[in-house]
Amino acid sequence: MKVAFFSTKSYDISSFEKHNTGNHEIIFYESTLNTKTAKLTQGCDAVCAFVNDHLHERTIKLLSEYDVKLIAMRCAGFNNVDLKAAATENIKVVRVPAYSPMAVAEHASALILTLNRKTHKAYNRVREGNFSLERLTGFDLYKKTVGVVGTGKIGQYFIKIMKGYGCNVIAYDLYPNDAVKALGVSYVSMDELLEQSDIISLHCPLTEDTHHLIGKEAFSKMKKGAMLINTSRGALIDTVEAVEALKNKTLEYFGIDVYEQEEKLFFRDLSENIIMDDVISRLISFPNVLITSHQGFLTHEALDKIAEVTLGNLTAFETEEHLENEVAI
Ligand code: NAD
């Protein structure tokens, strides 16, 4: 198969080159896939895309005109793909359903520990010869209530980590799971989760129902001084309302690996540019906000698995095998 890879970085290229044993001809593009770059797929059988590529109806129509037959997402989420348009154009969509749920769960826990114990600030202070402990006081995680929204693959690893710290874990999911209950977790309503949690961590997908799941109303129900962590998808949170919640101190800690408007910012070095997004600039200005740029997945193990499964998906399509990782509409 000849495959155009979009939004590629050095770490994508090295892991795909390591795992592609010559079966597929890969062209790596740094640019995002959108209506302007779709023409780069000319002569290709498939595209391989990532979280911020634009696979909207118009792009998909163009892909079809260039005779692309497969969209291989090298990620778990597919909220940026218009599945109906793909089906209309007879283009199949495959993904990597689980590459390392541990990687994302561990990153969520890293955000919690860093925000709480302020290790990022301590690191900078000590390097400047400032050994003061003023304003570095944290809290014990032991016996704190952690609310987990979405108890799928990542949510379950995250629960095990938080249980390891001795936290009381409660959860909300549309489909409560017995394996989660067996870990000693009680399922509660979303309102109860908001009211009772000291820390809330989001691990559900972005869908029409979960868009701005955490908005003005949800913030008004939260415990004063709560910590909110999002390693799932940015638009689960209404970020403008998050800024208000930080200002009125409902939120005392905010840790995000994903951001609603991340596609114009994340995965790029903009250190010499002027940031035009006032909301993220405001967020960055808070001392109790920690932002990482969608790196939850970024471990060696996850990159290996992403490459192996994506290349397997391409081969399965080429050899007309059952597409076990096809995204159904
Ligand atoms: P999963 O499908 O295994 O689990 C998702 C869970 O959310 C399921 O239990 C599902 O029932 C539940 N859910 C669905 N709709 C819900 C709703 N309206 N309210 C509450 N729960 C709901 O998915 P996963 O592998 O655990 O991944 C979770 C999310 O993490 C993905 O959708 C993706 O957006 C995100 N993710 C982020 C990164 C990163 O690098 N930061 C990497 C991988 C995945």
Side-chain angles (χ1 to χ4, degrees):
M1 298 255 283
K2 189 169 174 185
V3 192
F5 274 52
F6 288 87
S7 303
T8 54
K9 304 289 175 197
S10 63
Y11 44 82
D12 297 308
I13 297 172
S14 39
S15 67
F16 274 91
E17 281 183 341
K18 176 171 136 195
H19 290 279
N20 185 22
T21 46
N23 293 348
H24 303 290
E25 186 187 337
I26 297 180
I27 309 166
F28 294 106
Y29 293 114
E30 217 183 292
S31 51
T32 315
L33 174 55
N34 53 40
T35 48
K36 286 188 191 128
T37 56
K39 57 178 169 291
L40 295 169
T41 65
Q42 205 154 17
C44 291
D45 309 295
V47 293
C48 182
F50 198 50
V51 293
N52 289 327
D53 287 305
H54 291 236
L55 286 141
H56 306 153
E57 191 180 5
R58 280 181 54 218
T59 314
I60 288 176
K61 275 204 167 128
L62 289 168
L63 294 182
S64 170
E65 282 169 26
Y66 292 119
D67 223 11
V68 167
K69 295 169 203 72
L70 180 73
I71 295 169
M73 299 302 294
R74 54 177 192 282
C75 53
F78 48 86
N79 51 287
N80 52 333
V81 186
D82 185 332
L83 295 177
K84 275 197 192 139
T88 307
E89 299 301 333
N90 204 19
I91 296 178
K92 299 232 182 268
V93 181
V94 287
R95 66 175 182 136
V96 185
Y99 36 88
S100 173
M102 299 71 93
V104 185
E106 288 167 12
H107 192 72
S109 132
L111 292 177
I112 292 171
L113 291 183
T114 309
L115 271 170
N116 175 18
R117 303 306 299 268
K118 304 168 181 64
T119 40
H120 54 318
K121 296 186 182 185
Y123 171 82
N124 284 327
R125 277 191 192 184
V126 169
R127 283 168 68 88
E128 289 183 2
N130 176 357
F131 298 93
S132 157
L133 298 185
E134 292 297 332
R135 300 182 307 283
L136 293 184
T137 309
F139 60 85
D140 287 2
L141 286 173
Y142 182 69
K143 290 211 163 154
K144 291 296 180 299
T145 297
V146 177
V148 179
V149 181
T151 54
K153 293 176 283 296
I154 296 172
Q156 286 181 44
Y157 275 105
F158 177 75
I159 287 168
K160 287 179 191 158
I161 294 171
M162 299 323 285
K163 280 276 178 192
Y165 289 131
C167 296
N168 164 40
V169 181
I170 55 175
Y172 170 73
D173 195 302
L174 290 182
Y175 307 101
N177 178 329
D178 286 341
V180 172
K181 289 182 196 162
L183 295 171
V185 173
S186 345
Y187 279 100
V188 294
S189 68
M190 187 66 193
D191 279 359
E192 286 169 321
L193 184 141
L194 293 168
E195 285 156 15
Q196 294 172 21
S197 302
D198 300 296
I199 299 170
I200 297 170
S201 192
L202 306 180
H203 299 287
C204 61
L206 175 63
T207 62
E208 276 176 21
D209 292 342
T210 59
H211 183 263
H212 286 188
L213 179 73
I214 308 292
K216 192 174 183 141
E217 202 188 326
F219 282 117
S220 73
K221 290 176 182 160
M222 275 184 199
K223 247 188 190 180
K224 194 101 176 146
M227 179 189 289
L228 176 62
I229 302 293
N230 187 8
T231 54
S232 203
R233 283 294 180 265
L236 293 177
I237 298 177
D238 181 339
T239 323
V240 173
E241 290 302 333
V243 169
E244 284 310 307
L246 284 159
K247 287 202 285 194
N248 67 33
K249 298 202 163 73
T250 299
L251 264 193
E252 211 163 295
Y253 309 85
F254 188 39
I256 53 174
D257 185 48
V258 285
Y259 168 60
E260 213 177 343
Q261 314 296 347
E262 70 178 50
E263 68 175 78
K264 292 200 179 96
L265 301 165
F266 285 13
F267 307 119
R268 290 168 213 190
D269 179 357
L270 300 175
S271 52
E272 300 299 319
N273 295 54
I274 290 169
I275 303 290
M276 302 305 282
D277 181 329
D278 291 348
V279 178
I280 199 144
S281 300
R282 183 70 180 101
L283 277 183
I284 292 167
S285 76
F286 287 100
N288 49 349
V289 171
L290 181 59
I291 303 173
T292 53
S293 47
H294 210 136
Q295 69 177 76
F297 73 99
L298 196 61
T299 65
H300 294 297
E301 292 80 358
L303 288 173
D304 281 342
K305 183 89 180 179
I306 288 170
E308 276 169 27
V309 175
T310 303
L311 292 164
N313 287 342
L314 296 173
T315 303
F317 180 80
E318 188 179 28
T319 55
E320 296 178 10
E321 283 167 40
H322 167 63
L323 283 181
E324 63 167 314
N325 296 322
E326 182 172 359
V327 182
I329 298 188

